[in-house]
Amino acid sequence: MSAYVSPNAKSGAELKRWLKAGVEVEVFNPGMGTVPFNGTVYLEGPHYPAPHKWWLEGTMKDGKLVKVK
Protein backbone atom coordinates (compact mmCIF):
# COMPACT_ATOMS: atom_id res chain seq x y z
CA MET A 1 0.00 0.00 0.00
CA SER A 2 1.37 3.41 -0.94
CA ALA A 3 1.31 6.63 1.03
CA TYR A 4 1.42 10.30 0.07
CA VAL A 5 3.53 13.18 1.36
CA SER A 6 2.67 16.70 2.42
CA PRO A 7 3.67 19.13 1.07
CA ASN A 8 2.60 17.58 -2.22
CA ALA A 9 5.81 16.82 -4.14
CA LYS A 10 5.42 17.09 -7.90
CA SER A 11 8.39 14.77 -8.48
CA GLY A 12 10.57 12.32 -6.63
CA ALA A 13 13.54 14.62 -7.23
CA GLU A 14 11.68 17.46 -5.52
CA LEU A 15 10.99 15.26 -2.48
CA LYS A 16 14.66 14.24 -2.31
CA ARG A 17 15.72 17.92 -2.42
CA TRP A 18 13.31 18.75 0.41
CA LEU A 19 14.70 16.00 2.63
CA LYS A 20 18.29 17.05 1.88
CA ALA A 21 17.38 20.66 2.77
CA GLY A 22 15.84 19.55 6.08
CA VAL A 23 12.21 20.20 5.18
CA GLU A 24 9.93 18.19 7.47
CA VAL A 25 7.66 16.07 5.29
CA GLU A 26 4.47 14.49 6.60
CA VAL A 27 3.68 10.99 5.34
CA PHE A 28 0.04 9.93 5.35
CA ASN A 29 -2.19 7.22 3.98
CA PRO A 30 -5.58 8.51 2.84
CA GLY A 31 -7.01 5.00 2.53
CA MET A 32 -6.91 1.93 4.67
CA GLY A 33 -3.80 1.08 6.61
CA THR A 34 -1.27 3.05 8.57
CA VAL A 35 2.15 4.54 8.00
CA PRO A 36 4.87 2.71 9.97
CA PHE A 37 6.50 4.62 12.83
CA ASN A 38 9.81 2.94 11.98
CA GLY A 39 10.70 1.01 8.85
CA THR A 40 9.95 1.01 5.14
CA VAL A 41 7.17 3.01 3.52
CA TYR A 42 6.21 3.12 -0.15
CA LEU A 43 5.39 6.57 -1.51
CA GLU A 44 3.68 7.88 -4.63
CA GLY A 45 2.69 11.25 -5.95
CA PRO A 46 1.55 13.75 -6.71
CA HIS A 47 -1.78 13.49 -4.87
CA TYR A 48 -5.04 12.50 -6.51
CA PRO A 49 -6.66 13.84 -8.70
CA ALA A 50 -3.36 14.48 -10.52
CA PRO A 51 -1.97 11.36 -12.20
CA HIS A 52 0.78 9.69 -10.20
CA LYS A 53 4.16 10.27 -11.81
CA TRP A 54 6.61 9.01 -9.21
CA TRP A 55 7.02 6.09 -6.80
CA LEU A 56 9.74 5.82 -4.15
CA GLU A 57 10.70 3.65 -1.21
CA GLY A 58 11.24 5.62 1.98
CA THR A 59 12.56 5.03 5.45
CA MET A 60 10.66 6.19 8.53
CA LYS A 61 12.48 6.76 11.82
CA ASP A 62 10.61 7.80 14.96
CA GLY A 63 7.62 8.83 12.85
CA LYS A 64 9.60 11.01 10.42
CA LEU A 65 10.59 10.42 6.81
CA VAL A 66 14.39 10.41 6.85
CA LYS A 67 15.39 8.90 3.50
CA VAL A 68 14.02 7.99 0.07
CA LYS A 69 15.44 5.92 -2.77
Side-chain angles (χ1 to χ4, degrees), residues 19 27 36-43 57-61 64-69:
L19 289 178
V27 178
F37 192 72
N38 289 298
T40 302
V41 62
Y42 298 97
L43 306 165
E57 181 180 311
T59 303
M60 300 292 291
K61 183 174 181 184
K64 296 184 180 191
L65 183 64
V66 294
K67 182 172 83 171
V68 292
K69 56 180 177 177

Side-chain angles (χ1 to χ4, degrees), residues 26-51:
E26 177 189 2
V27 178
F28 66 97
N29 187 335
M32 296 177 60
T34 59
V35 174
F37 192 72
N38 289 298
T40 302
V41 62
Y42 298 97
L43 306 165
E44 65 185 8
H47 300 175
Y48 177 84

